[in-house]
Amino acid sequence: MKKIVTITGPTCSGKTTLINLMTGSDKFTEIISTTTRPQRPNEVNGSTYYYVSEDEFEAIEMLESVSFNGNRYGSSVEEIERRFSSGMIPAIVVEPHGMKQINENAYAHGWRVFNIFIGCPIALQSERFIGRVVEEYNRLENAAPDDPAWGKFTTEYVSRLVSIQTDEKKWPEKFRSAMTGDHLVITDFTEENQERVLKMVNEFIDNMRGR
C-alpha cells in the first residue's frame, strides 16, 4: 500500500526543520504544493510551488486545498503520484484542515496516511518567532518607508501572532479529531534532540508498515 506522511504543528514548532531532516535521506520526498499566489523573485516554479491561474487550479484534482490571504494552495493527486514513482514516501507540511482532507481523500485512492504532530516548548517557539521577525526586518531595512513590502511585513507577522494566540492553540485537539490514519505526537522538538526525533519518526513509519 502506498503511504503519505503529513506533518502538522503551530508556527515555529519545527515543521520545516523536521521535513528537511526527513527528506535528507533516500526514504522521504517532499510534496510540492500548487498555488494561485503570484511567484516571488526568489522562488522557483516546480521547486517552491507550482504556480497556476485560478482556472488552472480549478481543473486540477487536489488531495487537499485551502485558501489563505486570497490565494489558493493545494496538493495535487498528479504531484503525489509523481512522488510515489520515485520509490520514496511523500511527506507534506499541512494545517489541521488540510490534514483532515488528506486522511479522507487518501482512503479513496487506497493510500495509507501517517500523521505527525510537532510541537516545542513555548519559550523556544517565542524565540524562533522573534528571530524570524528580526531576520525579515533586517532584510527590509534598506527599503524606502513607503515600500509596500513594509505593509506586507506588518500584516503577515501580526496575522501570524494573532493565529498563534488564538486558532493555533486549538490545533492539538483539531489534529486528534481530524486524523483517521496512524499518528505520532511530538511535543518537545528542539535543536538538541533532532536526531532522536528523526529516529522516532522512522521507527513510527517502519513499525506501522505491517499493521
Side-chain angles (χ1 to χ4, degrees):
M1 179 179 288
K2 295 176 179 177
K3 306 165 186 69
I4 300 173
V5 177
T6 72
I7 301 172
T8 302
T11 299
C12 295
S13 58
K15 303 181 296 296
T16 300
T17 299
L18 178 59
I19 200 167
N20 286 342
L21 287 170
M22 292 168 61
T23 56
S25 69
D26 59 0
K27 184 172 183 177
F28 301 98
T29 179
E30 185 172 6
I31 296 168
I32 298 173
S33 297
T34 299
T35 183
T36 60
R37 176 174 68 69
Q39 185 175 347
R40 295 171 181 167
N42 61 331
E43 296 176 337
V44 179
N45 187 32
S47 178
T48 313
Y49 288 104
Y50 295 110
Y51 300 92
V52 299
S53 67
E54 185 73 28
D55 288 343
E56 289 172 327
F57 192 96
E58 281 290 335
I60 298 172
E61 182 183 1
M62 295 290 179
L63 197 66
E64 61 85 24
S65 64
V66 296
S67 295
F68 182 73
N69 282 346
N71 299 303
R72 301 178 72 183
Y73 300 81
S75 307
S76 72
V77 171
E78 180 183 9
E79 163 68 1
I80 293 167
E81 291 282 14
R82 187 182 299 118
R83 297 293 159 177
F84 283 143
S85 68
S86 71
M88 294 187 281
I89 301 172
I92 187 169
V93 173
V94 288
E95 297 185 357
H97 179 63
M99 187 203 75
K100 181 178 182 180
Q101 292 179 65
I102 289 176
N103 277 262
E104 292 172 346
N105 296 328
Y107 179 80
H109 287 271
W111 302 338
R112 185 173 180 179
V113 183
F114 295 82
N115 304 292
I116 300 172
F117 187 88
I118 192 82
C120 69
I122 185 65
L124 180 57
Q125 182 188 25
S126 301
E127 180 183 325
R128 289 172 176 169
F129 183 79
I130 292 170
R132 277 193 195 177
V133 173
V134 171
E135 181 181 354
E136 183 66 11
Y137 179 87
N138 289 338
R139 190 181 70 82
L140 291 172
E141 65 178 347
N142 293 324
D146 59 348
D147 191 317
W150 284 113
K152 292 179 181 178
F153 166 74
T154 304
T155 300
E156 178 177 350
Y157 283 98
V158 168
S159 174
R160 287 284 183 184
L161 185 58
V162 170
S163 180
I164 290 171
Q165 295 297 320
T166 55
D167 188 54
E168 291 185 17
K169 285 187 175 181
K170 304 172 186 175
W171 280 16
E173 180 56 36
K174 287 185 177 182
F175 175 84
R176 286 189 290 269
S177 63
M179 67 185 178
T180 57
D182 304 300
H183 67 280
L184 172 68
V185 176
I186 301 166
T187 59
D188 62 344
F189 188 40
T190 67
E191 281 71 14
E192 289 73 25
N193 66 8
Q194 289 182 5
E195 291 304 316
R196 178 177 66 82
V197 169
L198 182 60
K199 182 180 179 182
M200 288 172 60
V201 170
N202 280 303
E203 289 177 348
F204 164 58
I205 305 295
D206 293 339
N207 292 341
M208 299 299 287
R209 279 183 175 181
R211 297 188 184 182

